[in-house]
Amino acid sequence: MNWETATDQRITQLNCAITADAKSGYVYRMDVDFDPRVKPLDLFNQTYTDGQGGPKNLSESYPGSKFETAPKFSWQRPTGRLHEPQFFAACVNELEAFRVRARRRMPKRSKADANARDDLTVRVNGMK
């Protein structure tokens, strides 16, 4: 299933699951969602960071106006087609899942191991 709007002609492919009666054609339920294979954190890093962790694609230049640069509106951002609050929450959830998984696998025997576990938590919190 493809989705586009009158103001934004970019096509966004959606997954669609339909439950219907084969004989009558009556549709009981239709669920539509974005592609679940999209990895939110990879998409975020590719879209909003410059490879070194610095921001990009967050503001727009308006030469000759009162404001030289201004933050982009959601419809101007590359991920504006996604429901951004859920997209950004998915990024945070992916980082938290990584932190929990990594801490569980790290050794716990010495003081240095405890410091490494704490450093991981600090680093992931900084990434969030």
Side-chain angles (χ1 to χ4, degrees):
M1 175 176 215
N2 294 328
W3 173 52
E4 67 180 50
T5 65
T7 58
D8 191 349
Q9 298 296 314
R10 293 180 294 176
I11 293 177
T12 301
Q13 188 165 348
L14 303 172
N15 290 330
C16 184
I18 300 173
T19 305
D21 181 48
K23 288 183 181 180
S24 69
Y26 180 80
V27 175
Y28 297 111
R29 179 183 176 123
M30 184 169 90
D31 295 312
V32 178
D33 65 356
F34 286 99
D35 189 349
R37 295 168 294 178
V38 171
K39 295 181 179 169
L41 204 52
D42 291 345
L43 179 60
F44 178 85
N45 287 329
Q46 181 182 24
T47 305
Y48 292 117
T49 63
D50 61 4
Q52 306 298 325
K56 73 172 186 179
N57 287 333
L58 296 175
S59 60
E60 187 74 30
S61 296
Y62 300 98
S65 69
K66 183 177 179 181
F67 303 102
E68 284 295 316
T69 61
K72 288 184 177 182
F73 292 104
S74 64
W75 50 270
Q76 291 175 307
R77 291 190 292 267
T79 58
R81 304 269 318 182
L82 303 174
H83 195 3
E84 286 189 326
Q86 281 77 6
F87 170 68
F88 294 131
C91 293
V92 170
N93 289 342
E94 194 173 328
L95 285 169
E96 184 60 22
F98 166 77
R99 185 192 68 78
V100 168
R101 206 170 40 250
R103 278 184 64 97
R104 198 177 301 139
R105 293 177 181 170
M106 292 175 83
K108 304 174 187 173
R109 297 190 177 129
S110 69
K111 178 86 169 150
D113 293 338
N115 289 340
R117 292 164 58 88
D118 293 339
D119 289 345
L120 173 71
T121 298
V122 169
R123 184 170 179 192
V124 168
N125 287 340
M127 291 171 74
K128 288 180 194 178

